[in-house]
Amino acid sequence: MSDLPKAVHIMEVGPRDGLQIEAKILTIAERKELVEALAEAGLTEIEVGSFVSPKAVPQMADTAALLGTLQRRPGVAYRALWLNSRGLNQAIAAGTVDIEGWIHLAASEAFVKRNTNRDIEETFAQAADWIDLYKAIGVAPDCVSIMAAFGCNFEGEVPVKRVVEMVARSRNLLADHGVNLRKLALADTMGWASPRHVTFLIGTLRSRWPELELKLHLHDTRGLAMANALAALQMGLREFDASIAGLGGCPFAGNKGAAGNICTEDFAFMCLETGIETSVDLDALVSVARLAERLVGHPSAGKLIRGGTLSEYRG
Amino acid sequence: MSDLPKAVHIMEVGPRDGLQIEAKILTIAERKELVEALAEAGLTEIEVGSFVSPKAVPQMADTAALLGTLQRRPGVAYRALWLNSRGLNQAIAAGTVDIEGWIHLAASEAFVKRNTNRDIEETFAQAADWIDLYKAIGVAPDCVSIMAAFGCNFEGEVPVKRVVEMVARSRNLLADHGVNLRKLALADTMGWASPRHVTFLIGTLRSRWPELELKLHLHDTRGLAMANALAALQMGLREFDASIAGLGGCPFAGNKGAAGNICTEDFAFMCLETGIETSVDLDALVSVARLAERLVGHPSAGKLIRGGTLSEYRG
């Protein structure tokens, strides 16, 4: 376990990826309470919502209004997600999003069509618009995320080779606009990753582009999220998305009822017990997980909520 | 990941550790259906029940009768658990248990008192009786299990040093009876283990007694079972207990409502996806997990049940 990082950075995605699949649509006041509690518990980057069609994802309507009402904590980045130029324009217009220059791609034709109503070619074509939009507001468009990077419920296996080719193509596209790809997020959107796959994909990308900052977005669809996170930590990964109480899932993933994202408090617990620092207060975070359960109105897949932290023994 | 074993052996403990905490007490016919389905799905060692007080654990009453009705599959070992000499005598009298010479210890005074109404000294004292009983039926008493080997909800941290001392003492006790300790099971009864702790404890025991066969019994109380299993696999461990649908928990662990054992089908899935062979048919096992959910009458923590196997893509 020699390559373990000293500390990890967690982006909390519960208010977005967590809530977007819930049957109950939370009010702005409820979403505000959740986001503020997450920041209070020590999370320093929070995906607050998304700028997507309120018809397709009604849970994420009013994200601009939510952002407007937030009591902001210094040192916390309040993010949002967009999947097309219209969404990015809305985020820019809101003026309240801490915008990072992400370009969202997907490694599966079948999934990207369901999720964004575009194919991979069209996604790359639209990326040029995004680059211009980011540049116009002084944000470097130097982050790329690849959804379905490990496999797809509609298409099957996603070969490592395809991901590598998408990264190479993204780098070229950015280079054409005078930008260096700085950060790459790999999303296991539908829970296809295994520890071996994680190790191999990260290792392959690392050996080709050692300077790339890598980030992992894991789902627990098939029960391997925590083991996959461990495999990534062992490869030295320092950035992870996670969702409070393990809520979440993509409405377009085709596996309704399946488990959600890797659970923030359980993941933070593993890090702390493995000697890896996080920014969170674990007991406070478990309280927020309980709040999240109350807000969505059902028990979650989170384990620490019921198992209990070991903080009384940890000094 | 170079030390990964080629194959793992899973002892299914669902019919015992899984059912013993359930509110609903299954009939002998229901338990029989579950055990036979597990064997059918490829599990070759199944803990069918326990010989303990039916007052304390009514779910496990009639284990002898259950064993008597089982349709046995060739090549499958039908095990049972006992925690005192009376239970062992009952198992011997039943004549239907595939008896392995296990001596059960615990590394926590507080837990062993709650679980067996004896302290650690008394447990070691009784072990001498067990050794004689095993020998009298021609079974080598060469297996020791240590419950609460990672920590205890009533006592806190269990230092690695204490486990090492218990192993040394067990070896001496067995040596006094002319027996070599062959197999050691480490049970994370209350879900205190972390990947680092697993790696360190296994590494410590290995460096001192390299010839010892090690077996791990994991609970997902705090969400780390799968990551802990991965850490153990990376140390080359080849034997694991697991429970169908992730059912389980100890009635005397003091964490009612917490998650149960590591889930058999999810663990088998990780092994298969990581290139490690198991004896199970994964799709058949998921069907048995659904049966287990129906029998206990509530949804389980198992993920593959809802996430789906990837067998259609795996050829």
Side-chain angles (χ1 to χ4, degrees):
Chain A
M1 300 211 171
S2 56
D3 285 339
L4 292 176
K6 281 200 166 171
V8 297
H9 173 76
I10 299 171
M11 177 165 91
E12 169 61 41
V13 299
R16 199 274 306 169
D17 209 359
L19 298 183
Q20 72 181 8
I21 202 169
E22 289 294 330
K24 185 179 160 200
I25 297 180
L26 269 55
T27 64
I28 293 178
E30 289 170 326
R31 291 165 70 188
K32 171 181 159 74
E33 186 184 3
L34 180 60
V35 170
E36 289 175 358
L38 287 162
E40 192 74 32
L43 288 154
T44 57
E45 186 175 16
I46 304 173
E47 201 172 51
V48 167
S50 54
F51 290 92
V52 293
S53 157
K55 263 194 211 156
V57 191
Q59 295 88 340
M60 292 294 105
D62 303 318
T63 290
L66 167 62
L67 279 152
T69 74
L70 284 181
Q71 193 88 31
R72 286 170 184 248
R73 254 182 108 83
V76 176
Y78 297 87
R79 309 289 188 198
L81 176 73
W82 38 86
L83 293 171
N84 56 29
S85 304
R86 173 200 279 218
L88 174 51
N89 273 310
Q90 289 172 341
I92 292 168
T96 46
V97 186
D98 295 319
I99 293 182
E100 216 174 20
W102 285 99
I103 292 164
H104 295 288
L105 306 172
S108 154
E109 285 288 6
F111 174 73
V112 78
K113 281 229 170 167
R114 272 181 168 79
N115 197 42
T116 68
N117 204 24
R118 289 191 304 276
D119 64 20
I120 292 178
E121 275 310 308
E122 290 165 335
T123 306
F124 269 107
Q126 192 168 81
D129 297 343
W130 292 33
I131 293 170
D132 292 339
L133 287 166
Y134 284 129
K135 281 186 162 181
I137 56 165
V139 168
D142 57 0
C143 304
V144 164
S145 93
I146 302 182
M147 291 177 279
F150 294 86
C152 170
N153 289 343
F154 309 106
E155 209 175 281
E157 206 84 55
V158 168
V160 165
K161 190 166 177 281
R162 193 190 303 167
V163 175
V164 170
E165 285 166 0
M166 290 197 90
V167 176
R169 186 169 171 189
S170 307
R171 282 173 52 89
N172 290 341
L173 174 71
L174 293 186
D176 290 345
H177 291 78
V179 178
N180 269 322
L181 177 61
R182 175 176 62 89
K183 195 187 285 193
L184 176 72
L186 302 165
D188 184 24
T189 314
M190 288 162 279
W192 276 62
S194 69
R196 180 169 69 168
H197 198 158
V198 167
T199 304
F200 184 57
L201 179 54
I202 293 176
T204 304
L205 293 168
R206 273 276 175 67
S207 66
R208 181 135 174 205
W209 299 291
E211 75 289 356
L212 218 47
E213 297 172 30
L214 293 175
K215 174 178 183 168
L216 202 57
H217 176 100
L218 293 168
H219 281 248
D220 201 29
T221 318
R222 294 173 174 89
L224 304 193
M226 202 61 76
N228 291 336
L230 177 62
L233 289 169
Q234 290 171 337
M235 296 293 286
L237 236 76
R238 287 188 297 246
E239 275 202 65
F240 293 84
D241 289 352
S243 174
I244 192 74
L247 297 175
C250 171
F252 309 105
N255 52 7
K256 212 163 171 275
N261 293 64
I262 191 168
C263 171
T264 308
E265 65 274 17
D266 294 358
F267 174 61
F269 175 73
M270 179 168 77
C271 291
L272 295 169
E273 291 289 313
T274 304
I276 300 169
E277 284 171 35
T278 75
S279 61
V280 307
D281 174 331
L282 199 60
D283 285 310
L285 202 58
V286 168
S287 297
V288 183
R290 293 204 183 97
L291 165 67
E293 280 194 341
R294 280 199 303 278
L295 290 174
V296 299
H298 61 79
S300 73
K303 298 299 193 307
L304 217 52
I305 284 182
R306 277 159 287 273
T309 70
L310 301 177
S311 55
E312 61 186 297
Y313 306 100
R314 290 296 181 256
Chain B
M1 299 214 171
S2 55
D3 286 338
L4 292 177
K6 279 199 168 172
V8 297
H9 173 75
I10 300 172
M11 177 165 90
E12 169 60 43
V13 299
R16 199 275 304 170
D17 209 0
L19 298 182
Q20 73 180 8
I21 203 169
E22 288 294 328
K24 184 181 161 202
I25 298 180
L26 267 56
T27 64
I28 294 179
E30 288 171 326
R31 290 163 72 188
K32 172 182 159 72
E33 186 184 3
L34 180 60
V35 171
E36 291 176 357
L38 288 161
E40 192 75 32
L43 288 154
T44 56
E45 187 176 14
I46 304 173
E47 202 173 50
V48 167
S50 54
F51 291 92
V52 295
S53 158
K55 262 193 211 155
V57 189
Q59 295 88 342
M60 290 295 104
D62 304 317
T63 289
L66 167 62
L67 279 152
T69 73
L70 282 182
Q71 192 88 33
R72 286 171 185 248
R73 254 182 108 82
V76 176
Y78 296 87
R79 308 290 190 199
L81 177 73
W82 38 87
L83 293 171
N84 56 29
S85 305
R86 172 198 279 218
L88 175 48
N89 273 310
Q90 289 172 341
I92 293 169
T96 45
V97 185
D98 295 319
I99 294 184
E100 216 175 19
W102 284 99
I103 292 164
H104 295 289
L105 306 172
S108 154
E109 284 289 6
F111 174 73
V112 78
K113 281 230 171 168
R114 273 181 167 78
N115 197 42
T116 69
N117 205 24
R118 290 191 304 277
D119 64 19
I120 291 177
E121 275 310 308
E122 290 164 335
T123 306
F124 269 108
Q126 192 168 80
D129 298 344
W130 293 33
I131 293 171
D132 292 338
L133 286 167
Y134 284 129
K135 281 186 163 180
I137 56 164
V139 168
D142 56 1
C143 304
V144 164
S145 93
I146 302 183
M147 290 177 279
F150 294 87
C152 171
N153 290 343
F154 309 107
E155 209 175 281
E157 205 83 55
V158 168
V160 165
K161 190 167 177 282
R162 193 189 303 166
V163 176
V164 170
E165 283 167 1
M166 290 197 91
V167 176
R169 188 171 170 186
S170 308
R171 281 173 53 89
N172 290 340
L173 175 71
L174 293 186
D176 290 345
H177 292 77
V179 177
N180 269 323
L181 177 61
R182 176 176 60 91
K183 196 188 282 193
L184 176 72
L186 303 165
D188 184 25
T189 314
M190 287 163 280
W192 276 64
S194 69
R196 181 169 69 169
H197 197 158
V198 167
T199 304
F200 185 57
L201 179 54
I202 293 176
T204 304
L205 293 168
R206 273 276 174 67
S207 66
R208 184 138 172 203
W209 298 291
E211 74 289 357
L212 219 48
E213 295 173 30
L214 293 174
K215 175 180 181 167
L216 203 56
H217 176 100
L218 294 167
H219 281 248
D220 201 30
T221 318
R222 293 173 175 90
L224 305 194
M226 203 59 75
N228 292 334
L230 177 62
L233 289 169
Q234 290 171 337
M235 296 293 285
L237 237 75
R238 286 187 297 246
E239 275 202 64
F240 293 83
D241 289 352
S243 176
I244 190 75
L247 297 175
C250 171
F252 309 106
N255 51 7
K256 213 164 171 273
N261 293 64
I262 190 168
C263 172
T264 308
E265 67 275 16
D266 293 358
F267 174 61
F269 175 72
M270 179 168 76
C271 291
L272 295 170
E273 291 290 313
T274 304
I276 299 169
E277 284 170 35
T278 75
S279 61
V280 307
D281 172 332
L282 199 61
D283 286 309
L285 201 58
V286 169
S287 296
V288 183
R290 293 205 182 97
L291 165 67
E293 281 194 339
R294 281 198 304 276
L295 291 173
V296 300
H298 61 78
S300 73
K303 298 300 193 308
L304 217 52
I305 284 182
R306 278 159 286 274
T309 69
L310 301 178
S311 54
E312 61 186 297
Y313 305 101
R314 290 296 181 256

